[in-house]
PDB file of all heavy atoms in Angstrom:
ATOM      1  N   TYR A  29       9.537 -11.347  -0.632  1.00  0.00           N
ATOM      2  CA  TYR A  29       9.320 -12.696  -1.121  1.00  0.00           C
ATOM      3  C   TYR A  29       7.874 -12.921  -1.538  1.00  0.00           C
ATOM      4  O   TYR A  29       7.498 -14.017  -1.923  1.00  0.00           O
ATOM      5  CB  TYR A  29       9.736 -13.727  -0.061  1.00  0.00           C
ATOM      6  CG  TYR A  29      11.229 -13.760   0.125  1.00  0.00           C
ATOM      7  CD1 TYR A  29      11.837 -12.910   1.036  1.00  0.00           C
ATOM      8  CD2 TYR A  29      12.023 -14.607  -0.637  1.00  0.00           C
ATOM      9  CE1 TYR A  29      13.215 -12.916   1.191  1.00  0.00           C
ATOM     10  CE2 TYR A  29      13.395 -14.613  -0.482  1.00  0.00           C
ATOM     11  CZ  TYR A  29      13.991 -13.771   0.437  1.00  0.00           C
ATOM     12  OH  TYR A  29      15.353 -13.772   0.592  1.00  0.00           O
ATOM     13  N   ASP A  30       7.059 -11.881  -1.445  1.00  0.00           N
ATOM     14  CA  ASP A  30       5.696 -11.897  -1.935  1.00  0.00           C
ATOM     15  C   ASP A  30       5.498 -10.604  -2.720  1.00  0.00           C
ATOM     16  O   ASP A  30       6.107  -9.578  -2.400  1.00  0.00           O
ATOM     17  CB  ASP A  30       4.692 -11.973  -0.778  1.00  0.00           C
ATOM     18  CG  ASP A  30       5.051 -13.079   0.213  1.00  0.00           C
ATOM     19  OD1 ASP A  30       5.171 -14.227  -0.233  1.00  0.00           O
ATOM     20  OD2 ASP A  30       5.226 -12.769   1.402  1.00  0.00           O
ATOM     21  N   ILE A  31       4.646 -10.643  -3.713  1.00  0.00           N
ATOM     22  CA  ILE A  31       4.540  -9.514  -4.628  1.00  0.00           C
ATOM     23  C   ILE A  31       3.468  -8.513  -4.217  1.00  0.00           C
ATOM     24  O   ILE A  31       3.669  -7.301  -4.296  1.00  0.00           O
ATOM     25  CB  ILE A  31       4.270 -10.032  -6.063  1.00  0.00           C
ATOM     26  CG1 ILE A  31       5.488 -10.799  -6.566  1.00  0.00           C
ATOM     27  CG2 ILE A  31       3.914  -8.893  -7.007  1.00  0.00           C
ATOM     28  CD1 ILE A  31       5.299 -11.423  -7.926  1.00  0.00           C
ATOM     29  N   TYR A  32       2.329  -9.007  -3.743  1.00  0.00           N
ATOM     30  CA  TYR A  32       1.143  -8.149  -3.567  1.00  0.00           C
ATOM     31  C   TYR A  32       1.369  -6.992  -2.598  1.00  0.00           C
ATOM     32  O   TYR A  32       1.175  -5.821  -2.954  1.00  0.00           O
ATOM     33  CB  TYR A  32      -0.041  -9.009  -3.114  1.00  0.00           C
ATOM     34  CG  TYR A  32      -1.202  -8.202  -2.599  1.00  0.00           C
ATOM     35  CD1 TYR A  32      -1.966  -7.413  -3.460  1.00  0.00           C
ATOM     36  CD2 TYR A  32      -1.543  -8.211  -1.238  1.00  0.00           C
ATOM     37  CE1 TYR A  32      -3.023  -6.659  -2.993  1.00  0.00           C
ATOM     38  CE2 TYR A  32      -2.601  -7.468  -0.765  1.00  0.00           C
ATOM     39  CZ  TYR A  32      -3.344  -6.685  -1.639  1.00  0.00           C
ATOM     40  OH  TYR A  32      -4.389  -5.945  -1.171  1.00  0.00           O
ATOM     41  N   GLN A  33       1.781  -7.285  -1.375  1.00  0.00           N
ATOM     42  CA  GLN A  33       1.868  -6.230  -0.363  1.00  0.00           C
ATOM     43  C   GLN A  33       2.905  -5.144  -0.690  1.00  0.00           C
ATOM     44  O   GLN A  33       2.594  -3.947  -0.648  1.00  0.00           O
ATOM     45  CB  GLN A  33       2.132  -6.853   1.018  1.00  0.00           C
ATOM     46  CG  GLN A  33       2.274  -5.847   2.147  1.00  0.00           C
ATOM     47  CD  GLN A  33       3.722  -5.411   2.362  1.00  0.00           C
ATOM     48  OE1 GLN A  33       4.636  -6.244   2.274  1.00  0.00           O
ATOM     49  NE2 GLN A  33       3.940  -4.130   2.614  1.00  0.00           N
ATOM     50  N   PRO A  34       4.151  -5.512  -1.040  1.00  0.00           N
ATOM     51  CA  PRO A  34       5.107  -4.442  -1.345  1.00  0.00           C
ATOM     52  C   PRO A  34       4.734  -3.653  -2.596  1.00  0.00           C
ATOM     53  O   PRO A  34       4.958  -2.441  -2.651  1.00  0.00           O
ATOM     54  CB  PRO A  34       6.442  -5.197  -1.530  1.00  0.00           C
ATOM     55  CG  PRO A  34       6.074  -6.610  -1.771  1.00  0.00           C
ATOM     56  CD  PRO A  34       4.802  -6.837  -1.036  1.00  0.00           C
ATOM     57  N   LEU A  35       4.130  -4.330  -3.588  1.00  0.00           N
ATOM     58  CA  LEU A  35       3.732  -3.618  -4.806  1.00  0.00           C
ATOM     59  C   LEU A  35       2.608  -2.630  -4.507  1.00  0.00           C
ATOM     60  O   LEU A  35       2.629  -1.482  -4.977  1.00  0.00           O
ATOM     61  CB  LEU A  35       3.291  -4.624  -5.879  1.00  0.00           C
ATOM     62  CG  LEU A  35       2.900  -4.045  -7.237  1.00  0.00           C
ATOM     63  CD1 LEU A  35       4.060  -3.276  -7.847  1.00  0.00           C
ATOM     64  CD2 LEU A  35       2.431  -5.150  -8.178  1.00  0.00           C
ATOM     65  N   THR A  36       1.618  -3.051  -3.723  1.00  0.00           N
ATOM     66  CA  THR A  36       0.522  -2.162  -3.357  1.00  0.00           C
ATOM     67  C   THR A  36       1.031  -1.004  -2.514  1.00  0.00           C
ATOM     68  O   THR A  36       0.647   0.159  -2.726  1.00  0.00           O
ATOM     69  CB  THR A  36      -0.551  -2.946  -2.573  1.00  0.00           C
ATOM     70  OG1 THR A  36      -0.996  -4.060  -3.337  1.00  0.00           O
ATOM     71  CG2 THR A  36      -1.743  -2.054  -2.243  1.00  0.00           C
ATOM     72  N   THR A  37       1.908  -1.295  -1.567  1.00  0.00           N
ATOM     73  CA  THR A  37       2.476  -0.239  -0.721  1.00  0.00           C
ATOM     74  C   THR A  37       3.254   0.763  -1.566  1.00  0.00           C
ATOM     75  O   THR A  37       3.164   1.983  -1.357  1.00  0.00           O
ATOM     76  CB  THR A  37       3.402  -0.855   0.344  1.00  0.00           C
ATOM     77  OG1 THR A  37       2.676  -1.812   1.116  1.00  0.00           O
ATOM     78  CG2 THR A  37       3.954   0.214   1.271  1.00  0.00           C
ATOM     79  N   PHE A  38       4.012   0.267  -2.530  1.00  0.00           N
ATOM     80  CA  PHE A  38       4.793   1.146  -3.406  1.00  0.00           C
ATOM     81  C   PHE A  38       3.886   2.085  -4.194  1.00  0.00           C
ATOM     82  O   PHE A  38       4.145   3.297  -4.285  1.00  0.00           O
ATOM     83  CB  PHE A  38       5.639   0.309  -4.360  1.00  0.00           C
ATOM     84  CG  PHE A  38       6.395   1.116  -5.385  1.00  0.00           C
ATOM     85  CD1 PHE A  38       7.581   1.746  -5.049  1.00  0.00           C
ATOM     86  CD2 PHE A  38       5.896   1.264  -6.670  1.00  0.00           C
ATOM     87  CE1 PHE A  38       8.275   2.508  -5.988  1.00  0.00           C
ATOM     88  CE2 PHE A  38       6.584   2.013  -7.615  1.00  0.00           C
ATOM     89  CZ  PHE A  38       7.769   2.630  -7.271  1.00  0.00           C
ATOM     90  N   MET A  39       2.797   1.539  -4.762  1.00  0.00           N
ATOM     91  CA  MET A  39       1.890   2.367  -5.565  1.00  0.00           C
ATOM     92  C   MET A  39       1.239   3.453  -4.723  1.00  0.00           C
ATOM     93  O   MET A  39       1.150   4.612  -5.151  1.00  0.00           O
ATOM     94  CB  MET A  39       0.832   1.486  -6.232  1.00  0.00           C
ATOM     95  CG  MET A  39       1.378   0.579  -7.317  1.00  0.00           C
ATOM     96  SD  MET A  39       0.072  -0.271  -8.251  1.00  0.00           S
ATOM     97  CE  MET A  39      -0.735  -1.213  -6.950  1.00  0.00           C
ATOM     98  N   VAL A  40       0.809   3.115  -3.517  1.00  0.00           N
ATOM     99  CA  VAL A  40       0.184   4.107  -2.643  1.00  0.00           C
ATOM    100  C   VAL A  40       1.212   5.144  -2.201  1.00  0.00           C
ATOM    101  O   VAL A  40       0.908   6.336  -2.096  1.00  0.00           O
ATOM    102  CB  VAL A  40      -0.459   3.415  -1.420  1.00  0.00           C
ATOM    103  CG1 VAL A  40      -0.951   4.453  -0.405  1.00  0.00           C
ATOM    104  CG2 VAL A  40      -1.615   2.524  -1.857  1.00  0.00           C
ATOM    105  N   SER A  41       2.457   4.713  -1.985  1.00  0.00           N
ATOM    106  CA  SER A  41       3.500   5.627  -1.497  1.00  0.00           C
ATOM    107  C   SER A  41       3.852   6.707  -2.502  1.00  0.00           C
ATOM    108  O   SER A  41       4.469   7.715  -2.135  1.00  0.00           O
ATOM    109  CB  SER A  41       4.761   4.832  -1.141  1.00  0.00           C
ATOM    110  OG  SER A  41       5.436   4.380  -2.310  1.00  0.00           O
ATOM    111  N   ARG A  42       3.473   6.505  -3.759  1.00  0.00           N
ATOM    112  CA  ARG A  42       3.790   7.517  -4.768  1.00  0.00           C
ATOM    113  C   ARG A  42       3.005   8.804  -4.575  1.00  0.00           C
ATOM    114  O   ARG A  42       3.395   9.858  -5.106  1.00  0.00           O
ATOM    115  CB  ARG A  42       3.532   6.957  -6.176  1.00  0.00           C
ATOM    116  CG  ARG A  42       4.409   5.779  -6.593  1.00  0.00           C
ATOM    117  CD  ARG A  42       5.899   6.052  -6.469  1.00  0.00           C
ATOM    118  NE  ARG A  42       6.414   5.755  -5.120  1.00  0.00           N
ATOM    119  CZ  ARG A  42       7.638   6.040  -4.707  1.00  0.00           C
ATOM    120  NH1 ARG A  42       8.462   6.659  -5.513  1.00  0.00           N
ATOM    121  NH2 ARG A  42       8.022   5.715  -3.494  1.00  0.00           N
ATOM    122  N   PHE A  43       1.873   8.734  -3.814  1.00  0.00           N
ATOM    123  CA  PHE A  43       1.101   9.959  -3.638  1.00  0.00           C
ATOM    124  C   PHE A  43       0.724  10.260  -2.190  1.00  0.00           C
ATOM    125  O   PHE A  43       0.202  11.339  -1.907  1.00  0.00           O
ATOM    126  CB  PHE A  43      -0.168   9.938  -4.501  1.00  0.00           C
ATOM    127  CG  PHE A  43      -1.092   8.780  -4.226  1.00  0.00           C
ATOM    128  CD1 PHE A  43      -2.076   8.856  -3.261  1.00  0.00           C
ATOM    129  CD2 PHE A  43      -0.972   7.604  -4.974  1.00  0.00           C
ATOM    130  CE1 PHE A  43      -2.927   7.801  -3.018  1.00  0.00           C
ATOM    131  CE2 PHE A  43      -1.833   6.535  -4.739  1.00  0.00           C
ATOM    132  CZ  PHE A  43      -2.812   6.632  -3.763  1.00  0.00           C
ATOM    133  N   THR A  44       1.004   9.351  -1.241  1.00  0.00           N
ATOM    134  CA  THR A  44       0.704   9.649   0.158  1.00  0.00           C
ATOM    135  C   THR A  44       1.473   8.719   1.083  1.00  0.00           C
ATOM    136  O   THR A  44       1.882   7.620   0.674  1.00  0.00           O
ATOM    137  CB  THR A  44      -0.806   9.510   0.448  1.00  0.00           C
ATOM    138  OG1 THR A  44      -1.070   9.889   1.806  1.00  0.00           O
ATOM    139  CG2 THR A  44      -1.262   8.078   0.264  1.00  0.00           C
ATOM    140  N   ASP A  45       1.643   9.159   2.346  1.00  0.00           N
ATOM    141  CA  ASP A  45       2.209   8.291   3.364  1.00  0.00           C
ATOM    142  C   ASP A  45       1.179   7.994   4.456  1.00  0.00           C
ATOM    143  O   ASP A  45       1.518   7.482   5.526  1.00  0.00           O
ATOM    144  CB  ASP A  45       3.475   8.894   3.976  1.00  0.00           C
ATOM    145  CG  ASP A  45       3.195  10.205   4.717  1.00  0.00           C
ATOM    146  OD1 ASP A  45       2.030  10.689   4.675  1.00  0.00           O
ATOM    147  OD2 ASP A  45       4.126  10.748   5.335  1.00  0.00           O
ATOM    148  N   ASP A  46      -0.097   8.291   4.180  1.00  0.00           N
ATOM    149  CA  ASP A  46      -1.182   8.061   5.128  1.00  0.00           C
ATOM    150  C   ASP A  46      -1.576   6.586   5.095  1.00  0.00           C
ATOM    151  O   ASP A  46      -2.086   6.095   4.080  1.00  0.00           O
ATOM    152  CB  ASP A  46      -2.379   8.934   4.770  1.00  0.00           C
ATOM    153  CG  ASP A  46      -3.455   8.939   5.856  1.00  0.00           C
ATOM    154  OD1 ASP A  46      -3.548   7.950   6.610  1.00  0.00           O
ATOM    155  OD2 ASP A  46      -4.209   9.936   5.930  1.00  0.00           O
ATOM    156  N   TYR A  47      -1.344   5.893   6.208  1.00  0.00           N
ATOM    157  CA  TYR A  47      -1.595   4.451   6.226  1.00  0.00           C
ATOM    158  C   TYR A  47      -3.071   4.116   6.032  1.00  0.00           C
ATOM    159  O   TYR A  47      -3.421   3.002   5.621  1.00  0.00           O
ATOM    160  CB  TYR A  47      -1.081   3.831   7.531  1.00  0.00           C
ATOM    161  CG  TYR A  47      -1.929   4.101   8.758  1.00  0.00           C
ATOM    162  CD1 TYR A  47      -3.018   3.294   9.065  1.00  0.00           C
ATOM    163  CD2 TYR A  47      -1.618   5.151   9.617  1.00  0.00           C
ATOM    164  CE1 TYR A  47      -3.790   3.529  10.188  1.00  0.00           C
ATOM    165  CE2 TYR A  47      -2.380   5.392  10.744  1.00  0.00           C
ATOM    166  CZ  TYR A  47      -3.469   4.584  11.024  1.00  0.00           C
ATOM    167  OH  TYR A  47      -4.234   4.822  12.126  1.00  0.00           O
ATOM    168  N   ARG A  48      -3.963   5.079   6.296  1.00  0.00           N
ATOM    169  CA  ARG A  48      -5.391   4.806   6.128  1.00  0.00           C
ATOM    170  C   ARG A  48      -5.732   4.530   4.672  1.00  0.00           C
ATOM    171  O   ARG A  48      -6.608   3.705   4.378  1.00  0.00           O
ATOM    172  CB  ARG A  48      -6.214   5.972   6.678  1.00  0.00           C
ATOM    173  CG  ARG A  48      -6.151   6.098   8.193  1.00  0.00           C
ATOM    174  CD  ARG A  48      -6.905   7.308   8.686  1.00  0.00           C
ATOM    175  NE  ARG A  48      -6.302   8.557   8.227  1.00  0.00           N
ATOM    176  CZ  ARG A  48      -6.699   9.771   8.611  1.00  0.00           C
ATOM    177  NH1 ARG A  48      -7.708   9.883   9.470  1.00  0.00           N
ATOM    178  NH2 ARG A  48      -6.099  10.852   8.165  1.00  0.00           N
ATOM    179  N   VAL A  49      -5.055   5.204   3.762  1.00  0.00           N
ATOM    180  CA  VAL A  49      -5.280   4.951   2.339  1.00  0.00           C
ATOM    181  C   VAL A  49      -4.843   3.532   1.986  1.00  0.00           C
ATOM    182  O   VAL A  49      -5.558   2.780   1.300  1.00  0.00           O
ATOM    183  CB  VAL A  49      -4.522   5.974   1.474  1.00  0.00           C
ATOM    184  CG1 VAL A  49      -4.706   5.664  -0.013  1.00  0.00           C
ATOM    185  CG2 VAL A  49      -4.990   7.390   1.787  1.00  0.00           C
ATOM    186  N   LEU A  50      -3.664   3.150   2.476  1.00  0.00           N
ATOM    187  CA  LEU A  50      -3.142   1.813   2.194  1.00  0.00           C
ATOM    188  C   LEU A  50      -4.050   0.742   2.792  1.00  0.00           C
ATOM    189  O   LEU A  50      -4.418  -0.225   2.107  1.00  0.00           O
ATOM    190  CB  LEU A  50      -1.735   1.676   2.776  1.00  0.00           C
ATOM    191  CG  LEU A  50      -1.071   0.301   2.616  1.00  0.00           C
ATOM    192  CD1 LEU A  50      -0.876  -0.039   1.156  1.00  0.00           C
ATOM    193  CD2 LEU A  50       0.264   0.269   3.361  1.00  0.00           C
ATOM    194  N   PHE A  51      -4.448   0.916   4.038  1.00  0.00           N
ATOM    195  CA  PHE A  51      -5.272  -0.106   4.693  1.00  0.00           C
ATOM    196  C   PHE A  51      -6.681  -0.124   4.123  1.00  0.00           C
ATOM    197  O   PHE A  51      -7.335  -1.168   4.121  1.00  0.00           O
ATOM    198  CB  PHE A  51      -5.304   0.129   6.198  1.00  0.00           C
ATOM    199  CG  PHE A  51      -3.995  -0.155   6.877  1.00  0.00           C
ATOM    200  CD1 PHE A  51      -3.839   0.067   8.234  1.00  0.00           C
ATOM    201  CD2 PHE A  51      -2.900  -0.635   6.175  1.00  0.00           C
ATOM    202  CE1 PHE A  51      -2.637  -0.193   8.876  1.00  0.00           C
ATOM    203  CE2 PHE A  51      -1.687  -0.891   6.786  1.00  0.00           C
ATOM    204  CZ  PHE A  51      -1.555  -0.668   8.135  1.00  0.00           C
ATOM    205  N   GLY A  52      -7.163   1.031   3.654  1.00  0.00           N
ATOM    206  CA  GLY A  52      -8.451   1.047   2.979  1.00  0.00           C
ATOM    207  C   GLY A  52      -8.416   0.231   1.701  1.00  0.00           C
ATOM    208  O   GLY A  52      -9.358  -0.507   1.381  1.00  0.00           O
ATOM    209  N   LEU A  53      -7.303   0.339   0.966  1.00  0.00           N
ATOM    210  CA  LEU A  53      -7.138  -0.464  -0.250  1.00  0.00           C
ATOM    211  C   LEU A  53      -7.000  -1.938   0.095  1.00  0.00           C
ATOM    212  O   LEU A  53      -7.596  -2.804  -0.571  1.00  0.00           O
ATOM    213  CB  LEU A  53      -5.911   0.024  -1.020  1.00  0.00           C
ATOM    214  CG  LEU A  53      -5.654  -0.622  -2.389  1.00  0.00           C
ATOM    215  CD1 LEU A  53      -6.868  -0.472  -3.292  1.00  0.00           C
ATOM    216  CD2 LEU A  53      -4.423  -0.019  -3.043  1.00  0.00           C
ATOM    217  N   PHE A  54      -6.222  -2.241   1.135  1.00  0.00           N
ATOM    218  CA  PHE A  54      -6.135  -3.626   1.608  1.00  0.00           C
ATOM    219  C   PHE A  54      -7.534  -4.167   1.934  1.00  0.00           C
ATOM    220  O   PHE A  54      -7.881  -5.294   1.587  1.00  0.00           O
ATOM    221  CB  PHE A  54      -5.272  -3.711   2.869  1.00  0.00           C
ATOM    222  CG  PHE A  54      -3.794  -3.597   2.627  1.00  0.00           C
ATOM    223  CD1 PHE A  54      -2.929  -3.255   3.671  1.00  0.00           C
ATOM    224  CD2 PHE A  54      -3.250  -3.837   1.381  1.00  0.00           C
ATOM    225  CE1 PHE A  54      -1.563  -3.160   3.459  1.00  0.00           C
ATOM    226  CE2 PHE A  54      -1.875  -3.738   1.163  1.00  0.00           C
ATOM    227  CZ  PHE A  54      -1.036  -3.393   2.209  1.00  0.00           C
ATOM    228  N   GLY A  55      -8.325  -3.334   2.626  1.00  0.00           N
ATOM    229  CA  GLY A  55      -9.664  -3.761   3.015  1.00  0.00           C
ATOM    230  C   GLY A  55     -10.567  -4.008   1.831  1.00  0.00           C
ATOM    231  O   GLY A  55     -11.375  -4.947   1.831  1.00  0.00           O
ATOM    232  N   LEU A  56     -10.449  -3.192   0.788  1.00  0.00           N
ATOM    233  CA  LEU A  56     -11.268  -3.389  -0.409  1.00  0.00           C
ATOM    234  C   LEU A  56     -10.932  -4.709  -1.099  1.00  0.00           C
ATOM    235  O   LEU A  56     -11.832  -5.434  -1.541  1.00  0.00           O
ATOM    236  CB  LEU A  56     -11.076  -2.229  -1.378  1.00  0.00           C
ATOM    237  CG  LEU A  56     -11.853  -0.950  -1.074  1.00  0.00           C
ATOM    238  CD1 LEU A  56     -11.472   0.139  -2.083  1.00  0.00           C
ATOM    239  CD2 LEU A  56     -13.354  -1.205  -1.120  1.00  0.00           C
TER     240      LEU A  56
END
């Protein structure tokens, strides 16, 4: 029901499953 988080998670998931990459992007 929100676009940002699932879309960002989807893009990161295309090349890694390491949550540090995802949370680093969230942090930026």
